[in-house]
């Protein structure tokens, strides 16, 4: 993934609003990045099975909480925004 996402900031997130706390966390991280004028790529796991599989492979887990942030292919962390 480091080679594939080198030089990028990638945010795995969801646009599904049913789980409000998860959706709100994703929106908060996106807003922070936008406020800082950081160019980032959104990968919506709700809309793409490929992105779901990518994040599972990256994290080596079956269940992944979003948002998850990667910079230059390196894992930064998950949001704990409330």
């Amino acid at each position: 993934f480091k080679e594939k996402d080198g030089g990028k900031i990638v945010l795995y997130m969801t646009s599904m609003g049913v789980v409000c706390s998860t959706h709100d966390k994703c929106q908060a991280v996106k807003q922070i990045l936008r406020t800082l004028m950081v160019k980032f790529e959104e990968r919506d796991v709700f809309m793409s099975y490929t992105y779901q599989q990518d994040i599972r492979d990256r994290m080596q887990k079956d269940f992944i909480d979003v948002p998850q942030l990667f910079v230059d292919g390196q894992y930064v962390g998950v949001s704990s925004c409330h």
Side-chain angles (χ1 to χ4, degrees):
F1 290 102
K2 185 169 174 101
E3 293 171 10
K4 177 181 162 186
D5 289 338
K8 294 182 187 175
I9 296 175
V10 176
L11 176 64
Y12 286 88
M13 45 72 68
T14 184
S15 60
M16 182 177 68
V18 175
V19 182
C20 291
S21 62
T22 301
H23 183 262
D24 290 348
K25 287 179 188 179
C26 292
Q27 294 302 315
V29 172
K30 285 172 36 175
Q31 187 59 44
I32 289 167
L33 294 171
R34 286 180 182 141
T35 298
L36 296 171
M37 293 188 285
V38 173
K39 182 179 175 183
F40 65 98
E41 181 178 320
E42 290 182 36
R43 295 188 181 165
D44 190 343
V45 297
F46 176 64
M47 298 301 287
S48 171
Y49 179 76
T50 302
Y51 291 155
Q52 291 174 27
Q53 206 54 47
D54 278 355
I55 190 67
R56 285 186 190 117
D57 292 345
R58 280 186 147 180
M59 303 297 291
Q60 298 178 355
K61 295 180 182 178
D62 290 330
F63 177 79
I64 304 297
D65 191 24
V66 289
Q68 297 288 339
L69 189 64
F70 293 83
V71 176
D72 198 27
Q74 297 293 315
Y75 178 64
V76 174
V78 63
S79 170
S80 60
C81 300
H82 299 301

